[in-house]
Amino acid sequence: MIEKEIKSKSEKVFPNGKDLGGASQNILIIGAGLCGSLLALRLGQRGYNVAVYEMRPDLRKVDISAGRSINLAFSDRGNKAMKLVGIDEKVNQLCIPMHGRMIHDANGNTFQSNYSGRDHEYINSISRGGLNALLLDEAEQHKNVSIYFNKKCTSVDFEKTTARFTDYRTKEEFIEDADIIIATDGAGSAMRKSYYLGKKFLFSFSQSYLSHGYKELSILPKPNGGYKIHKNALHIWPRKSFMLIALPNLDGSFTVTLFLSYDDGEYNFNNLTDEKIVLEFFQKEFPDALALMPNLTDDFFENPTAPLGTIKCSPWHYKGNTLLMGDAAHAIVPFYGQGMNASFEDIVEFDAVLNKHKGDWETVFQEYEKSRKKDTDAIADLAIDNFHEMKDHVANPIFQEKRKIEMALEKHFPKEYASKYSLVTFNEDIGYREAMLRGRAQDKAILNMLSDGVISPSDDIQLILDKVKNETEAILEDDRIAGLR
Protein backbone atom coordinates (compact mmCIF):
# COMPACT_ATOMS: atom_id res chain seq x y z
CA MET A 1 0.00 0.00 0.00
CA ILE A 2 1.33 3.44 -0.94
CA GLU A 3 2.27 5.66 2.00
CA LYS A 4 -0.22 8.43 1.17
CA GLU A 5 -3.07 5.91 1.10
CA ILE A 6 -2.47 4.82 4.69
CA LYS A 7 -4.49 7.02 6.95
CA SER A 8 -3.96 7.83 10.60
CA LYS A 9 -6.80 7.03 12.99
CA SER A 10 -5.60 9.30 15.80
CA GLU A 11 -8.87 11.18 16.19
CA LYS A 12 -10.59 7.89 17.06
CA VAL A 13 -7.71 6.46 19.07
CA PHE A 14 -7.31 9.59 21.19
CA PRO A 15 -10.87 10.93 21.54
CA ASN A 16 -9.69 13.86 23.65
CA GLY A 17 -7.58 15.17 20.80
CA LYS A 18 -3.84 15.65 20.26
CA ASP A 19 -1.22 17.96 21.67
CA LEU A 20 -3.15 19.24 24.64
CA GLY A 21 0.08 19.51 26.63
CA GLY A 22 1.09 18.33 30.08
CA ALA A 23 -0.49 15.11 31.31
CA SER A 24 -3.04 15.27 28.47
CA GLN A 25 -0.40 14.22 25.96
CA ASN A 26 -1.14 11.17 23.82
CA ILE A 27 0.89 8.05 24.49
CA LEU A 28 0.80 5.04 22.17
CA ILE A 29 1.77 1.71 23.76
CA ILE A 30 2.62 -1.23 21.50
CA GLY A 31 1.76 -4.50 23.24
CA ALA A 32 -0.94 -5.30 25.83
CA GLY A 33 0.87 -8.07 27.68
CA LEU A 34 1.72 -7.84 31.36
CA CYS A 35 4.10 -4.90 31.03
CA GLY A 36 2.02 -2.96 28.52
CA SER A 37 -1.25 -3.34 30.39
CA LEU A 38 0.33 -2.26 33.70
CA LEU A 39 1.99 0.72 31.98
CA ALA A 40 -1.34 1.71 30.44
CA LEU A 41 -2.98 1.54 33.85
CA ARG A 42 -0.33 3.69 35.51
CA LEU A 43 -0.21 6.29 32.74
CA GLY A 44 -4.01 6.34 32.70
CA GLN A 45 -3.98 7.04 36.43
CA ARG A 46 -1.59 9.91 35.77
CA GLY A 47 -4.04 11.46 33.31
CA TYR A 48 -2.38 10.76 29.97
CA ASN A 49 -4.42 9.79 26.94
CA VAL A 50 -3.32 6.21 26.29
CA ALA A 51 -3.94 3.96 23.30
CA VAL A 52 -2.68 0.37 23.45
CA TYR A 53 -2.34 -1.84 20.36
CA GLU A 54 -2.00 -5.61 20.75
CA MET A 55 -1.43 -8.10 17.93
CA ARG A 56 -3.18 -10.99 19.68
CA PRO A 57 -6.91 -11.37 20.35
CA ASP A 58 -8.32 -10.27 23.68
CA LEU A 59 -7.22 -13.00 26.10
CA ARG A 60 -10.32 -12.31 28.20
CA LYS A 61 -12.40 -13.68 25.33
CA VAL A 62 -10.11 -16.19 23.58
CA ASP A 63 -7.66 -18.78 24.95
CA ILE A 64 -4.28 -17.83 23.47
CA SER A 65 -1.90 -19.79 25.75
CA ALA A 66 -0.88 -22.27 23.00
CA GLY A 67 1.82 -23.97 25.05
CA ARG A 68 3.10 -20.72 26.52
CA SER A 69 3.70 -20.69 30.27
CA ILE A 70 0.34 -20.18 31.95
CA ASN A 71 1.75 -19.37 35.36
CA LEU A 72 4.68 -17.33 36.57
CA ALA A 73 6.64 -16.64 39.75
CA PHE A 74 5.46 -13.41 41.36
CA SER A 75 7.50 -11.80 44.14
CA ASP A 76 8.21 -8.58 46.02
CA ARG A 77 9.49 -6.47 43.12
CA GLY A 78 6.37 -7.23 41.14
CA ASN A 79 4.15 -6.60 44.14
CA LYS A 80 5.74 -3.18 44.63
CA ALA A 81 4.30 -2.26 41.23
CA MET A 82 0.88 -3.61 42.20
CA LYS A 83 0.96 -1.41 45.30
CA LEU A 84 1.89 1.58 43.12
CA VAL A 85 -1.34 1.20 41.12
CA GLY A 86 -3.39 0.12 44.14
CA ILE A 87 -4.39 -3.40 43.14
CA ASP A 88 -2.12 -5.53 45.34
CA GLU A 89 -5.05 -7.01 47.29
CA LYS A 90 -6.80 -8.07 44.08
CA VAL A 91 -3.59 -9.62 42.76
CA ASN A 92 -3.06 -11.50 46.02
CA GLN A 93 -6.26 -13.43 45.35
CA LEU A 94 -4.64 -14.92 42.22
CA CYS A 95 -1.54 -16.12 44.09
CA ILE A 96 -0.49 -19.50 45.47
CA PRO A 97 2.41 -19.17 47.94
CA MET A 98 5.48 -21.31 47.23
CA HIS A 99 7.74 -21.43 50.28
CA GLY A 100 10.62 -23.27 48.66
CA ARG A 101 11.89 -25.75 46.12
CA MET A 102 10.68 -29.33 46.46
CA ILE A 103 13.56 -31.39 45.07
CA HIS A 104 12.71 -34.77 43.47
CA ASP A 105 15.68 -37.13 43.10
CA ALA A 106 15.95 -39.95 40.58
CA ASN A 107 14.50 -42.45 43.07
CA GLY A 108 11.39 -40.41 43.78
CA ASN A 109 12.61 -39.12 47.15
CA THR A 110 11.82 -35.50 47.96
CA PHE A 111 13.10 -32.78 50.27
CA GLN A 112 12.18 -29.12 50.51
CA SER A 113 14.73 -26.32 50.35
CA ASN A 114 13.09 -23.11 51.54
CA TYR A 115 13.69 -19.83 49.75
CA SER A 116 14.39 -17.97 52.97
CA GLY A 117 15.01 -18.46 56.67
CA ARG A 118 12.38 -15.78 57.28
CA ASP A 119 8.85 -17.16 57.34
CA HIS A 120 7.27 -14.14 55.64
CA GLU A 121 9.51 -14.42 52.55
CA TYR A 122 8.19 -16.64 49.77
CA ILE A 123 7.32 -16.41 46.10
CA ASN A 124 3.94 -16.99 44.48
CA SER A 125 2.65 -18.92 41.52
CA ILE A 126 0.28 -16.68 39.60
CA SER A 127 -1.78 -17.15 36.45
CA ARG A 128 -0.32 -15.20 33.54
CA GLY A 129 -3.71 -14.90 31.89
CA GLY A 130 -5.55 -14.08 35.12
CA LEU A 131 -3.12 -11.31 36.01
CA ASN A 132 -3.07 -9.92 32.48
CA ALA A 133 -6.86 -9.88 32.38
CA LEU A 134 -7.02 -8.05 35.71
CA LEU A 135 -4.56 -5.41 34.49
CA LEU A 136 -6.53 -4.91 31.27
CA ASP A 137 -9.78 -4.56 33.21
CA GLU A 138 -8.23 -2.04 35.58
CA ALA A 139 -6.69 -0.02 32.73
CA GLU A 140 -10.01 0.14 30.87
CA GLN A 141 -11.69 1.61 33.95
CA HIS A 142 -10.05 4.87 32.88
CA LYS A 143 -11.87 6.74 30.12
CA ASN A 144 -8.55 8.06 28.83
CA VAL A 145 -7.28 4.51 28.11
CA SER A 146 -8.28 2.60 24.95
CA ILE A 147 -7.09 -0.91 24.07
CA TYR A 148 -7.25 -2.39 20.55
CA PHE A 149 -6.66 -6.07 19.72
CA ASN A 150 -5.71 -7.97 16.54
CA LYS A 151 -3.55 -5.03 15.44
CA LYS A 152 0.05 -5.99 14.65
CA CYS A 153 2.76 -3.34 14.62
CA THR A 154 5.04 -3.86 11.63
CA SER A 155 7.37 -0.87 12.03
CA VAL A 156 7.91 2.40 13.84
CA ASP A 157 9.13 5.68 12.37
CA PHE A 158 10.88 6.92 15.49
CA GLU A 159 11.71 10.30 13.93
CA LYS A 160 8.09 11.07 13.04
CA THR A 161 6.75 9.27 16.15
CA THR A 162 4.39 7.11 14.09
CA ALA A 163 3.71 3.39 14.04
CA ARG A 164 2.47 1.26 11.17
CA PHE A 165 -0.06 -1.49 11.91
CA THR A 166 -1.89 -4.27 10.12
CA ASP A 167 -5.36 -5.32 11.24
CA TYR A 168 -5.37 -9.14 11.38
CA ARG A 169 -9.07 -9.34 10.53
CA THR A 170 -9.51 -6.79 7.76
CA LYS A 171 -5.86 -6.90 6.53
CA GLU A 172 -6.06 -3.09 6.47
CA GLU A 173 -2.81 -1.20 6.98
CA PHE A 174 -2.82 2.08 8.85
CA ILE A 175 -0.52 4.47 10.66
CA GLU A 176 -0.95 5.91 14.14
CA ASP A 177 0.82 8.96 15.46
CA ALA A 178 1.24 10.12 19.03
CA ASP A 179 3.34 12.40 21.19
CA ILE A 180 5.17 9.43 22.69
CA ILE A 181 5.44 5.78 21.62
CA ILE A 182 6.44 3.14 24.18
CA ALA A 183 7.05 -0.41 22.95
CA THR A 184 6.25 -3.23 25.39
CA ASP A 185 5.88 -5.79 22.60
CA GLY A 186 8.25 -8.40 23.99
CA ALA A 187 11.35 -10.15 22.74
CA GLY A 188 10.26 -9.79 19.10
CA SER A 189 9.69 -6.04 19.40
CA ALA A 190 8.83 -4.29 16.13
CA MET A 191 10.19 -0.98 17.40
CA ARG A 192 13.50 -2.50 18.47
CA LYS A 193 13.78 -3.97 14.98
CA SER A 194 13.07 -0.52 13.52
CA TYR A 195 15.82 0.96 15.69
CA TYR A 196 18.23 -1.67 14.40
CA LEU A 197 17.25 -1.44 10.74
CA GLY A 198 16.86 2.35 10.69
CA LYS A 199 20.59 2.96 11.10
CA LYS A 200 19.80 6.56 12.10
CA PHE A 201 21.82 6.31 15.31
CA LEU A 202 24.29 3.93 16.98
CA PHE A 203 22.22 1.03 18.26
CA SER A 204 23.74 -2.01 19.99
CA PHE A 205 21.86 -5.29 20.06
CA SER A 206 22.72 -8.80 21.23
CA GLN A 207 20.60 -11.93 21.23
CA SER A 208 21.95 -15.15 22.71
CA TYR A 209 20.27 -18.52 23.10
CA LEU A 210 20.84 -21.40 25.47
CA SER A 211 21.43 -24.78 23.87
CA HIS A 212 18.27 -25.85 25.73
CA GLY A 213 14.65 -25.27 24.83
CA TYR A 214 11.48 -25.78 26.84
CA LYS A 215 8.13 -27.52 26.46
CA GLU A 216 4.99 -26.99 28.57
CA LEU A 217 3.31 -30.08 30.03
CA SER A 218 0.81 -30.51 32.87
CA ILE A 219 -0.22 -32.47 35.94
CA LEU A 220 -3.99 -32.50 36.03
CA PRO A 221 -5.90 -32.15 39.32
CA LYS A 222 -7.38 -35.06 41.23
CA PRO A 223 -11.00 -35.93 40.32
CA ASN A 224 -12.13 -33.93 43.37
CA GLY A 225 -10.06 -30.91 42.28
CA GLY A 226 -7.25 -31.52 44.76
CA TYR A 227 -3.49 -31.37 44.15
CA LYS A 228 -1.57 -34.55 43.38
CA ILE A 229 1.67 -33.22 44.91
CA HIS A 230 2.48 -30.64 47.58
CA LYS A 231 0.71 -27.42 46.65
CA ASN A 232 2.92 -24.75 48.23
CA ALA A 233 6.26 -25.41 46.55
CA LEU A 234 8.03 -25.05 43.23
CA HIS A 235 8.85 -28.65 42.31
CA ILE A 236 12.16 -29.43 40.60
CA TRP A 237 13.48 -32.67 39.16
CA PRO A 238 17.20 -31.72 38.65
CA ARG A 239 19.16 -34.05 36.38
CA LYS A 240 22.47 -32.18 35.91
CA SER A 241 22.13 -31.29 32.22
CA PHE A 242 18.33 -30.96 32.12
CA MET A 243 15.37 -30.64 34.46
CA LEU A 244 11.64 -30.68 34.96
CA ILE A 245 9.81 -28.07 37.07
CA ALA A 246 6.18 -27.72 38.18
CA LEU A 247 4.22 -24.72 39.50
CA PRO A 248 0.72 -24.96 41.04
CA ASN A 249 -2.46 -23.46 39.57
CA LEU A 250 -5.63 -22.44 41.41
CA ASP A 251 -7.66 -25.24 39.78
CA GLY A 252 -5.53 -28.01 41.36
CA SER A 253 -3.33 -28.57 38.31
CA PHE A 254 0.39 -27.93 37.90
CA THR A 255 2.07 -26.35 34.91
CA VAL A 256 5.07 -28.59 34.19
CA THR A 257 8.00 -27.41 32.10
CA LEU A 258 10.70 -29.60 30.61
CA PHE A 259 14.04 -27.85 29.99
CA LEU A 260 16.16 -30.00 27.70
CA SER A 261 18.92 -29.66 25.12
CA TYR A 262 17.94 -29.59 21.47
CA ASP A 263 20.89 -31.78 20.45
CA ASP A 264 23.04 -33.03 23.31
CA GLY A 265 22.67 -36.09 25.51
CA GLU A 266 21.06 -39.49 25.15
CA TYR A 267 17.65 -37.82 25.10
CA ASN A 268 17.05 -34.43 23.52
CA PHE A 269 14.24 -32.57 21.82
CA ASN A 270 15.48 -33.57 18.39
CA ASN A 271 15.27 -37.31 19.09
CA LEU A 272 12.13 -37.43 21.25
CA THR A 273 10.05 -38.00 18.17
CA ASP A 274 7.52 -40.70 19.12
CA GLU A 275 5.48 -41.80 22.13
CA LYS A 276 7.68 -44.80 22.90
CA ILE A 277 10.90 -42.83 23.36
CA VAL A 278 9.15 -40.03 25.28
CA LEU A 279 7.71 -42.55 27.75
CA GLU A 280 11.06 -44.33 27.97
CA PHE A 281 12.77 -41.00 28.77
CA PHE A 282 10.30 -40.06 31.51
CA GLN A 283 10.26 -43.57 32.98
CA LYS A 284 14.04 -43.47 33.27
CA GLU A 285 14.48 -39.88 34.49
CA PHE A 286 11.19 -38.78 36.08
CA PRO A 287 9.25 -41.92 37.07
CA ASP A 288 7.37 -40.25 39.93
CA ALA A 289 6.30 -37.39 37.66
CA LEU A 290 5.28 -39.80 34.90
CA ALA A 291 2.95 -41.59 37.33
CA LEU A 292 1.09 -38.29 37.75
CA MET A 293 0.89 -37.49 34.03
CA PRO A 294 -1.30 -39.92 32.04
CA ASN A 295 -1.74 -37.02 29.61
CA LEU A 296 2.02 -36.72 29.00
CA THR A 297 2.25 -37.74 25.37
CA ASP A 298 -0.78 -35.68 24.35
CA ASP A 299 0.80 -32.57 25.90
CA PHE A 300 4.24 -33.39 24.54
CA PHE A 301 3.19 -33.60 20.92
CA GLU A 302 0.50 -30.90 20.99
CA ASN A 303 2.60 -28.17 22.60
CA PRO A 304 5.50 -26.48 20.80
CA THR A 305 9.15 -26.57 21.79
CA ALA A 306 10.37 -23.02 22.32
CA PRO A 307 13.86 -21.48 22.61
CA LEU A 308 15.36 -19.75 25.66
CA GLY A 309 17.16 -16.52 24.95
CA THR A 310 18.57 -13.31 26.39
CA ILE A 311 18.29 -9.92 24.70
CA LYS A 312 20.32 -6.86 25.60
CA CYS A 313 20.31 -3.60 23.68
CA SER A 314 21.04 0.11 23.94
CA PRO A 315 19.91 2.79 23.79
CA TRP A 316 16.33 2.01 24.78
CA HIS A 317 15.09 5.38 23.59
CA TYR A 318 15.26 7.78 20.68
CA LYS A 319 15.39 11.40 21.83
CA GLY A 320 12.14 12.21 23.62
CA ASN A 321 9.92 10.34 21.17
CA THR A 322 10.13 6.58 21.70
CA LEU A 323 11.11 4.09 24.40
CA LEU A 324 11.58 0.34 24.77
CA MET A 325 10.41 -1.24 28.02
CA GLY A 326 10.09 -4.73 29.51
CA ASP A 327 11.15 -7.68 27.38
CA ALA A 328 11.41 -5.40 24.34
CA ALA A 329 14.45 -3.86 26.05
CA HIS A 330 15.78 -6.76 28.11
CA ALA A 331 14.36 -10.25 27.61
CA ILE A 332 15.80 -12.86 29.96
CA VAL A 333 15.57 -16.61 30.54
CA PRO A 334 13.04 -17.63 33.24
CA PHE A 335 15.27 -19.29 35.82
CA TYR A 336 15.22 -16.62 38.51
CA GLY A 337 11.48 -16.10 38.20
CA GLN A 338 12.18 -12.40 37.62
CA GLY A 339 11.17 -11.71 34.00
CA MET A 340 7.70 -10.44 34.85
CA ASN A 341 8.89 -8.89 38.12
CA ALA A 342 11.67 -7.01 36.34
CA SER A 343 9.23 -5.65 33.76
CA PHE A 344 6.88 -4.52 36.52
CA GLU A 345 9.81 -2.91 38.35
CA ASP A 346 10.61 -1.06 35.11
CA ILE A 347 7.33 0.79 35.54
CA VAL A 348 8.01 1.61 39.20
CA GLU A 349 11.42 3.05 38.26
CA PHE A 350 10.00 4.86 35.23
CA ASP A 351 7.24 6.38 37.34
CA ALA A 352 9.79 7.69 39.86
CA VAL A 353 11.82 9.38 37.12
CA LEU A 354 8.63 10.79 35.60
CA ASN A 355 7.84 12.40 38.95
CA LYS A 356 11.14 14.27 38.82
CA HIS A 357 11.15 15.35 35.17
CA LYS A 358 7.48 15.45 34.18
CA GLY A 359 7.02 16.96 30.74
CA ASP A 360 10.68 16.65 29.72
CA TRP A 361 10.48 13.29 27.95
CA GLU A 362 14.04 13.25 26.64
CA THR A 363 15.43 13.72 30.15
CA VAL A 364 12.95 11.14 31.53
CA PHE A 365 14.07 8.54 29.00
CA GLN A 366 17.78 9.26 29.51
CA GLU A 367 17.63 9.16 33.29
CA TYR A 368 15.41 6.08 33.32
CA GLU A 369 17.77 4.08 31.11
CA LYS A 370 20.86 5.31 32.97
CA SER A 371 19.51 4.11 36.31
CA ARG A 372 17.79 0.95 35.07
CA LYS A 373 19.97 -0.75 32.47
CA LYS A 374 22.73 -1.85 34.85
CA ASP A 375 20.09 -3.70 36.88
CA THR A 376 18.40 -5.40 33.93
CA ASP A 377 21.80 -6.55 32.63
CA ALA A 378 22.48 -7.98 36.08
CA ILE A 379 19.25 -9.96 36.34
CA ALA A 380 19.85 -11.35 32.85
CA ASP A 381 23.21 -12.72 34.02
CA LEU A 382 21.74 -13.98 37.30
CA ALA A 383 19.03 -15.86 35.41
CA ILE A 384 21.70 -17.79 33.49
CA ASP A 385 23.46 -18.56 36.80
CA ASN A 386 20.26 -19.90 38.29
CA PHE A 387 19.69 -22.18 35.30
CA HIS A 388 22.83 -24.10 36.23
CA GLU A 389 21.91 -23.97 39.92
CA MET A 390 18.44 -25.44 39.39
CA LYS A 391 19.33 -28.26 37.00
CA ASP A 392 22.46 -29.37 38.86
CA HIS A 393 23.68 -27.54 41.96
CA VAL A 394 20.53 -27.99 44.07
CA ALA A 395 21.34 -31.73 44.22
CA ASN A 396 25.02 -31.15 45.10
CA PRO A 397 25.87 -31.90 48.78
CA ILE A 398 28.10 -28.83 49.25
CA PHE A 399 25.38 -26.59 47.79
CA GLN A 400 22.88 -28.14 50.19
CA GLU A 401 25.26 -27.40 53.08
CA LYS A 402 25.53 -23.80 51.87
CA ARG A 403 21.74 -23.46 51.83
CA LYS A 404 21.48 -24.88 55.36
CA ILE A 405 23.93 -22.26 56.56
CA GLU A 406 22.10 -19.49 54.71
CA MET A 407 18.74 -20.53 56.12
CA ALA A 408 20.18 -20.60 59.64
CA LEU A 409 21.78 -17.18 59.20
CA GLU A 410 18.53 -15.67 57.93
CA LYS A 411 16.53 -17.26 60.75
CA HIS A 412 18.85 -16.19 63.58
CA PHE A 413 19.93 -12.84 62.11
CA PRO A 414 16.96 -11.69 59.98
CA LYS A 415 18.20 -8.08 59.83
CA GLU A 416 21.89 -8.82 59.37
CA TYR A 417 22.02 -11.44 56.63
CA ALA A 418 20.26 -12.09 53.32
CA SER A 419 21.33 -14.74 50.81
CA LYS A 420 21.79 -13.90 47.15
CA TYR A 421 18.37 -15.35 46.41
CA SER A 422 16.78 -13.22 49.12
CA LEU A 423 18.61 -10.09 47.98
CA VAL A 424 17.32 -10.58 44.44
CA THR A 425 13.82 -11.79 45.23
CA PHE A 426 12.73 -10.23 48.52
CA ASN A 427 14.72 -6.99 48.80
CA GLU A 428 12.89 -4.80 46.30
CA ASP A 429 14.67 -1.64 47.50
CA ILE A 430 18.06 -3.00 46.41
CA GLY A 431 18.90 -2.92 42.70
CA TYR A 432 19.57 -6.17 40.87
CA ARG A 433 23.20 -5.22 40.27
CA GLU A 434 23.93 -4.59 43.95
CA ALA A 435 22.12 -7.82 44.84
CA MET A 436 24.20 -9.71 42.28
CA LEU A 437 27.56 -8.35 43.42
CA ARG A 438 26.95 -8.88 47.13
CA GLY A 439 25.18 -12.20 46.60
CA ARG A 440 27.95 -13.64 44.46
CA ALA A 441 30.56 -12.56 47.00
CA GLN A 442 28.60 -14.23 49.81
CA ASP A 443 28.23 -17.43 47.78
CA LYS A 444 31.95 -17.49 47.07
CA ALA A 445 32.78 -16.84 50.72
CA ILE A 446 30.59 -19.65 52.07
CA LEU A 447 31.56 -22.22 49.43
CA ASN A 448 35.29 -21.48 49.85
CA MET A 449 35.10 -21.81 53.61
CA LEU A 450 33.06 -25.02 53.41
CA SER A 451 35.55 -26.52 50.96
CA ASP A 452 38.50 -25.51 53.16
CA GLY A 453 36.86 -26.76 56.35
CA VAL A 454 36.84 -23.26 57.87
CA ILE A 455 33.12 -23.53 58.65
CA SER A 456 30.52 -26.29 58.87
CA PRO A 457 26.73 -26.25 59.45
CA SER A 458 27.30 -27.53 63.01
CA ASP A 459 29.43 -24.55 64.06
CA ASP A 460 28.23 -21.78 66.36
CA ILE A 461 25.94 -19.62 64.21
CA GLN A 462 27.35 -16.31 65.48
CA LEU A 463 30.86 -17.48 64.60
CA ILE A 464 29.69 -18.46 61.11
CA LEU A 465 28.09 -15.03 60.59
CA ASP A 466 31.28 -13.22 61.62
CA LYS A 467 33.42 -15.34 59.30
CA VAL A 468 31.00 -14.99 56.36
CA LYS A 469 30.79 -11.22 56.81
CA ASN A 470 34.57 -10.81 56.99
CA GLU A 471 35.24 -13.04 53.98
CA THR A 472 32.46 -11.40 51.96
CA GLU A 473 33.85 -7.92 52.58
CA ALA A 474 37.34 -9.12 51.60
CA ILE A 475 35.99 -10.48 48.31
CA LEU A 476 34.03 -7.28 47.63
CA GLU A 477 37.18 -5.23 48.30
CA ASP A 478 39.13 -7.40 45.86
CA ASP A 479 36.36 -6.83 43.31
CA ARG A 480 36.58 -3.07 43.87
CA ILE A 481 40.34 -3.12 43.36
CA ALA A 482 39.91 -5.19 40.20
CA GLY A 483 37.31 -2.70 38.91
CA LEU A 484 34.46 -5.21 39.05
CA ARG A 485 32.26 -2.95 41.18
Side-chain angles (χ1 to χ4, degrees):
M1 186 175 291
I2 301 173
E3 180 74 28
K4 66 181 181 180
E5 294 179 341
I6 303 176
K7 299 180 180 179
S8 172
K9 305 168 86 176
S10 291
E11 291 183 4
K12 294 181 181 179
V13 173
F14 300 107
N16 295 329
K18 274 183 58 61
D19 298 322
L20 298 182
S24 295
Q25 286 178 301
N26 298 320
I27 299 179
L28 177 60
I29 297 174
I30 304 170
L34 293 167
C35 184
S37 54
L38 175 61
L39 180 63
L41 170 56
R42 184 56 185 157
L43 292 176
Q45 289 175 338
R46 296 189 69 121
Y48 293 97
N49 296 322
V50 181
V52 187
Y53 276 75
E54 167 60 47
M55 70 175 182
R56 297 169 299 175
D58 188 341
L59 57 75
R60 295 167 295 181
K61 301 175 182 177
V62 179
D63 179 13
I64 59 173
S65 58
R68 193 179 186 209
S69 179
I70 64 171
N71 56 7
L72 299 163
F74 177 71
S75 55
D76 293 37
R77 294 178 192 271
N79 198 47
K80 188 175 182 179
M82 300 303 102
K83 290 178 180 178
L84 175 68
V85 296
I87 62 170
D88 49 306
E89 291 185 5
K90 293 181 179 179
V91 171
N92 187 56
Q93 296 174 20
L94 302 175
C95 292
I96 300 175
M98 298 186 294
H99 299 284
R101 298 164 172 166
M102 185 67 75
I103 312 298
H104 298 247
D105 70 17
N107 298 315
N109 302 310
T110 62
F111 69 91
Q112 183 162 321
S113 174
N114 283 352
Y115 288 123
S116 172
R118 292 173 282 267
D119 293 339
H120 66 280
E121 291 182 343
Y122 53 86
I123 64 175
N124 299 277
S125 177
I126 193 167
S127 162
R128 177 197 293 270
L131 179 55
N132 205 160
L134 173 62
L135 292 169
L136 291 169
D137 287 344
E138 292 292 325
E140 287 185 330
Q141 294 296 315
H142 298 271
K143 293 182 180 179
N144 51 324
V145 176
S146 301
I147 304 174
Y148 304 88
F149 297 94
N150 296 298
K151 308 289 192 293
K152 178 179 175 59
C153 181
T154 55
S155 64
V156 174
D157 188 323
F158 43 85
E159 292 184 301
K160 295 180 180 178
T161 326
T162 61
R164 183 187 296 260
F165 294 90
T166 299
D167 187 304
Y168 270 137
R169 291 177 175 171
T170 66
K171 308 304 179 185
E172 174 192 7
E173 290 188 9
F174 57 93
I175 289 176
E176 293 300 346
D177 61 343
D179 299 304
I180 302 296
I181 299 177
I182 302 178
T184 58
D185 50 341
S189 174
M191 188 159 83
R192 192 184 65 242
K193 183 177 180 181
S194 293
Y195 278 1
Y196 178 76
L197 295 177
K199 303 186 187 305
K200 301 290 179 66
F201 59 98
L202 295 177
F203 182 71
S204 299
F205 169 70
S206 68
Q207 179 173 274
S208 58
Y209 288 102
L210 294 179
S211 59
H212 287 56
Y214 75 94
K215 185 181 288 287
E216 295 290 351
L217 307 167
S218 62
I219 295 174
L220 300 178
K222 292 179 178 179
N224 65 359
Y227 294 85
K228 291 181 178 177
I229 51 179
H230 181 55
K231 172 184 177 181
N232 297 115
L234 187 154
H235 294 259
I236 306 180
W237 290 257
R239 299 297 183 263
K240 294 189 179 296
S241 61
F242 54 91
M243 66 177 169
L244 197 69
I245 71 169
L247 278 71
N249 298 305
L250 291 171
D251 65 358
S253 68
F254 283 80
T255 300
V256 180
T257 309
L258 172 64
F259 297 98
L260 183 69
S261 173
Y262 281 100
D263 300 300
D264 296 335
E266 180 183 0
Y267 299 98
N268 55 64
F269 278 127
N270 286 343
N271 68 22
L272 293 177
T273 55
D274 59 51
E275 290 188 10
K276 181 180 178 181
I277 193 170
V278 169
L279 291 172
E280 175 187 295
F281 171 51
F282 271 75
Q283 184 60 56
K284 179 178 178 180
E285 300 292 348
F286 315 112
D288 58 330
L290 178 60
L292 305 170
M293 302 168 67
N295 51 307
L296 169 64
T297 54
D298 289 341
D299 285 348
F300 194 94
F301 292 106
E302 288 176 7
N303 292 338
T305 303
L308 295 159
T310 300
I311 288 173
K312 296 179 181 179
C313 67
S314 67
W316 294 346
H317 62 92
Y318 177 76
K319 296 182 178 178
N321 298 353
T322 55
L323 175 70
L324 300 169
M325 190 176 283
D327 283 357
H330 51 78
I332 65 175
V333 294
F335 302 108
Y336 230 111
Q338 288 296 305
M340 170 183 65
N341 294 290
S343 291
F344 285 172
E345 191 177 62
D346 282 358
I347 293 162
V348 175
E349 296 296 314
F350 180 73
D351 191 72
V353 177
L354 194 55
N355 284 336
K356 291 193 293 184
H357 305 289
K358 184 178 178 181
D360 183 356
W361 288 106
E362 186 163 4
T363 300
V364 168
F365 292 171
Q366 287 175 347
E367 289 300 312
Y368 164 68
E369 181 173 352
K370 182 179 179 181
S371 66
R372 186 67 180 145
K373 187 173 181 354
K374 65 182 185 300
D375 288 323
T376 59
D377 284 352
I379 192 57
D381 295 342
L382 282 165
I384 298 292
D385 290 351
N386 222 39
F387 169 57
H388 300 294
E389 180 174 309
M390 291 174 70
K391 68 182 173 61
D392 185 8
H393 301 168
V394 292
N396 188 305
I398 194 170
F399 178 87
Q400 293 170 12
E401 284 193 332
K402 178 178 83 75
R403 286 302 289 165
K404 287 179 182 178
I405 287 173
E406 289 177 324
M407 294 302 98
L409 289 172
E410 290 184 337
K411 181 177 180 179
H412 288 88
F413 309 104
K415 296 182 179 180
E416 294 187 61
Y417 184 85
S419 69
K420 181 178 70 179
Y421 189 90
S422 290
L423 289 169
V424 170
T425 307
F426 306 124
N427 285 262
E428 67 271 23
D429 295 324
I430 299 173
Y432 284 125
R433 178 171 168 77
E434 180 60 30
M436 177 184 71
L437 293 173
R438 176 160 291 277
R440 283 178 170 175
Q442 288 176 173
D443 285 354
K444 186 176 181 181
I446 296 174
L447 288 169
N448 284 349
M449 288 191 289
L450 280 171
S451 296
D452 295 341
V454 176
I455 60 173
S456 77
S458 61
D459 290 348
D460 176 78
I461 193 65
Q462 180 67 60
L463 185 63
I464 292 176
L465 177 66
D466 293 341
K467 289 181 177 180
V468 169
K469 277 186 169 182
N470 290 336
E471 183 66 14
T472 297
E473 290 306 318
I475 292 170
L476 288 171
E477 180 59 24
D478 288 346
D479 288 347
R480 279 189 284 269
I481 293 171
L484 301 177
R485 282 183 62 82

